[in-house]
Amino acid sequence: MRIEGSTNADAHSVSAELKRKILGGEFQYDERLPAERSIAEQFGCSRGTVRAAMERLEDLKLIERRIGSGTFVRHKLTANETDIANSTSPLELIEVRRGLEVQAIRLAVVNASARNLQAVEKNLIELEALGSRCEPEDFSKADQAFHLSLAECSGNSLMIWLCNHVNDVRCHRQWSAMKDKILTQRQIALYNKQHRAIFEALNSRDINAAEKETIAHLQLAKDDLLGAT
Amino acid sequence: MRIEGSTNADAHSVSAELKRKILGGEFQYDERLPAERSIAEQFGCSRGTVRAAMERLEDLKLIERRIGSGTFVRHKLTANETDIANSTSPLELIEVRRGLEVQAIRLAVVNASARNLQAVEKNLIELEALGSRCEPEDFSKADQAFHLSLAECSGNSLMIWLCNHVNDVRCHRQWSAMKDKILTQRQIALYNKQHRAIFEALNSRDINAAEKETIAHLQLAKDDLLGAT
DNA sequence: AGACATTGGTACAAAAATGGTTGGATATGG
DNA sequence: CCATATCCAACCATTTTTGTACCAATGTCT
């Protein structure tokens, strides 16, 4: 298990995270990245590990490094990254999730194994442990993990695949820009209540309650989205 | 037989779950899986069991293992969406369509333009013109076009994109094999009645009727599928 | 111009982590 | 009883990560 921030990270996860931040626009073009030693401290790993990750990104032509100066973003995307993700608005995303995840929870109630439920509960507990004062970024990640573990319960490969890819969209720019506005302490607390309710319904195999709670959850997310624009 | 011990897992269930996570995209291409020892702990089984499961996945060319480095996803199938298609059963497909298309029709009732409705009607007329004696292959194509034009009405680009790709799955092997059994004259006539009902509901902007008819349509398809196996 | 701090680049050895392997103990079901 | 499967505890070979030290280039200050 890779847990961000709190524990050590290997070269793969470091490069993946940096890549995500660059492609997601968190690090703008031509911007200088933090120093290697600084990133190492931030990830809780050694400088050598960070350098290994950097070499990967350099091979991908995502960054350029200059001795004594720093590391700079030099990405040339457009071709590969102009996928559906970037042209999808957060509102469109919620509408699709409402279709997919409501059906997923219905299947989950029927098909979830004991192990599936344990995984969901684990993610739920981690999510709740973050508390309502956590960083929106951290909450968003844990929230995504929770919802994906719900999809897992469906036992339907196609459903899982779709939920995974649809949730990837959340990492992109338009959504990132709104996270800070929407994910206030108050809303996080509300969301967590709903997460708990969804899990309880699923755990007791109550299909109607599970569906109702999931719809309520996505409806709230949609309302928050509309309120923030 | 395997009694569902809540914690222990045998090689079969471990490999099945890992396979699902790979196919579902939770473990993406080129990503490193958790270490064997870590997976063993997670599943509450021994490392040997995990290794047995891994060997299965290696035989299936799903993963590649490197000493001292780790286990990596080598599944070209995750690279594009047509591959998940081949490993999706018709039943799984119907379940996903039930999620997507029901939501699509709800959005369609709200958002469909006059031009959208004309396109749907055109496809519907063509479908009906085929009659109930047509080739299953031809009906399937026209049916697909009709359903895609419904998705178009949603005005949600992500929804349209997903419905397009999900419907592509129908062109593949497992589905093709069943077409001839299911698409009898009698069933084609039934399906066409439902198509007409869906269009009428959409055209008169009756969201509840549209949803009800769509659910009924997919339910019938599901029942036929179950009956044919 | 010169001193100094900061940056990435390099080298090397110790420590840790990883998959691969072996042998024997312990069930479980035929 | 045997066959199969699982578990456990080692050990091996390889790779990765770490820690440390130092080098070279750059930027900033006096």
Side-chain angles (χ1 to χ4, degrees):
Chain A
M1 269 305 136
R2 245 179 287 305
I3 303 170
E4 304 290 356
S6 57
T7 59
N8 290 3
D10 57 35
H12 281 86
S13 59
V14 172
S15 73
E17 177 78 11
L18 291 176
K19 181 179 173 186
R20 191 189 64 76
K21 289 191 177 180
I22 291 173
L23 293 181
E26 197 159 327
F27 293 135
Q28 303 281 341
Y29 187 85
D30 224 12
E31 186 179 345
R32 198 185 87 178
L33 298 187
E36 291 177 352
R37 293 170 176 84
S38 161
I39 292 180
E41 187 183 5
Q42 186 181 330
F43 276 89
C45 65
S46 78
R47 195 183 150 211
T49 303
V50 172
R51 285 188 55 76
M54 292 292 208
E55 276 159 26
R56 259 181 90 90
L57 300 181
E58 196 172 23
D59 287 342
L60 295 174
K61 310 286 186 193
L62 283 175
I63 60 173
E64 186 180 301
R65 303 194 279 181
R66 286 201 293 275
I67 304 176
S69 182
T71 304
F72 299 83
V73 177
R74 284 273 177 284
H75 69 267
K76 306 242 191 289
L77 44 91
T78 55
N80 211 352
E81 268 65 30
T82 56
D83 52 3
I84 188 77
N86 283 321
S87 59
T88 299
S89 75
L91 186 57
E92 283 179 318
L93 174 65
I94 286 282
E95 297 289 10
V96 169
R97 286 183 61 199
R98 170 154 179 165
L100 277 180
E101 297 192 18
V102 168
Q103 177 68 1
I105 200 73
R106 292 168 54 89
L107 296 174
V109 168
V110 179
N111 296 324
S113 70
R115 183 172 317 283
N116 286 147
L117 294 176
Q118 283 171 18
V120 173
E121 188 168 24
K122 172 173 156 289
N123 283 318
L124 175 60
I125 290 174
E126 282 177 7
L127 188 50
E128 291 174 334
L130 286 177
S132 56
R133 290 185 185 165
C134 66
E135 287 297 312
E137 176 75 22
D138 295 333
F139 178 82
S140 186
K141 268 188 193 165
D143 177 72
Q144 191 167 333
F146 172 72
H147 282 279
L148 287 181
S149 66
L150 285 179
E152 284 272 338
C153 296
S154 71
N156 182 319
S157 296
L158 183 58
M159 177 66 80
I160 296 169
W161 189 85
L162 287 176
C163 287
N164 267 303
H165 284 72
V166 163
N167 271 284
D168 269 351
V169 178
R170 286 210 266 175
C171 297
H172 289 72
R173 222 163 304 140
Q174 298 185 64
W175 178 266
S176 297
M178 317 195 78
K179 254 184 292 203
D180 295 333
K181 276 191 196 167
I182 293 176
L183 293 177
T184 61
Q185 288 190 24
R186 185 191 145 96
Q187 289 313 101
I188 287 180
L190 265 178
Y191 286 145
N192 274 340
K193 255 190 191 164
Q194 295 186 323
H195 288 152
R196 170 61 64 176
I198 292 173
F199 170 71
E200 298 296 350
L202 171 61
N203 202 32
S204 53
R205 310 275 180 182
D206 183 339
I207 191 168
N208 290 322
E211 182 174 347
K212 182 177 141 239
E213 297 294 344
T214 301
I215 289 178
H217 184 50
L218 291 170
Q219 183 64 45
L220 177 61
K222 181 181 168 184
D223 291 343
D224 288 343
L225 213 50
L226 291 175
T229 49
Chain B
M1 264 288 103
R2 227 36 85 192
I3 307 168
E4 42 122 13
S6 54
T7 49
N8 284 0
D10 58 26
H12 283 84
S13 62
V14 173
S15 73
E17 176 138 354
L18 290 177
K19 182 178 172 185
R20 266 225 332 277
K21 290 195 178 184
I22 292 173
L23 290 179
E26 181 164 336
F27 295 134
Q28 301 201 348
Y29 187 83
D30 218 17
E31 187 178 343
R32 198 182 75 182
L33 299 187
E36 291 176 352
R37 294 167 176 86
S38 163
I39 293 179
E41 186 184 6
Q42 188 180 331
F43 277 88
C45 66
S46 79
R47 197 181 149 215
T49 304
V50 171
R51 284 187 57 75
M54 293 289 209
E55 276 159 25
R56 256 183 86 86
L57 300 180
E58 196 173 23
D59 287 342
L60 295 173
K61 311 285 186 193
L62 284 175
I63 60 174
E64 184 180 303
R65 301 143 99 188
R66 287 203 292 274
I67 304 177
S69 182
T71 304
F72 298 83
V73 178
R74 283 277 172 281
H75 184 214
K76 310 191 176 81
L77 310 186
T78 32
N80 66 53
E81 61 280 352
T82 58
D83 314 311
I84 180 79
N86 284 323
S87 60
T88 300
S89 75
L91 185 56
E92 284 180 318
L93 175 66
I94 286 282
E95 297 289 9
V96 169
R97 286 183 61 199
R98 171 156 178 161
L100 276 180
E101 297 193 15
V102 168
Q103 178 68 2
I105 201 74
R106 292 168 53 90
L107 296 173
V109 168
V110 179
N111 297 323
S113 68
R115 186 178 311 280
N116 286 146
L117 293 176
Q118 282 171 20
V120 174
E121 189 167 23
K122 172 174 159 288
N123 282 318
L124 176 60
I125 290 174
E126 283 177 5
L127 188 50
E128 291 173 336
L130 286 176
S132 57
R133 290 183 186 168
C134 66
E135 287 297 312
E137 180 70 27
D138 295 333
F139 177 82
S140 187
K141 269 186 191 164
D143 178 71
Q144 190 168 334
F146 172 72
H147 281 279
L148 287 182
S149 65
L150 285 179
E152 288 274 343
C153 296
S154 70
N156 182 320
S157 56
L158 181 59
M159 176 68 79
I160 296 169
W161 188 83
L162 287 177
C163 286
N164 267 297
H165 284 75
V166 162
N167 272 283
D168 272 348
V169 177
R170 287 208 267 172
C171 301
H172 290 75
R173 241 168 300 138
Q174 300 183 66
W175 181 266
S176 297
M178 318 196 76
K179 252 184 293 203
D180 294 334
K181 277 191 195 168
I182 293 176
L183 294 177
T184 61
Q185 289 189 24
R186 185 191 145 95
Q187 289 313 101
I188 287 181
L190 264 179
Y191 286 146
N192 275 339
K193 255 190 191 165
Q194 295 185 322
H195 287 153
R196 170 61 64 177
I198 291 172
F199 171 71
E200 297 296 348
L202 170 62
N203 202 32
S204 54
R205 309 277 179 180
D206 184 339
I207 191 168
N208 290 323
E211 182 174 347
K212 183 175 142 242
E213 296 295 343
T214 301
I215 290 178
H217 183 51
L218 291 170
Q219 184 65 44
L220 177 61
K222 181 181 169 184
D223 291 342
D224 289 343
L225 211 49
L226 291 175
T229 50

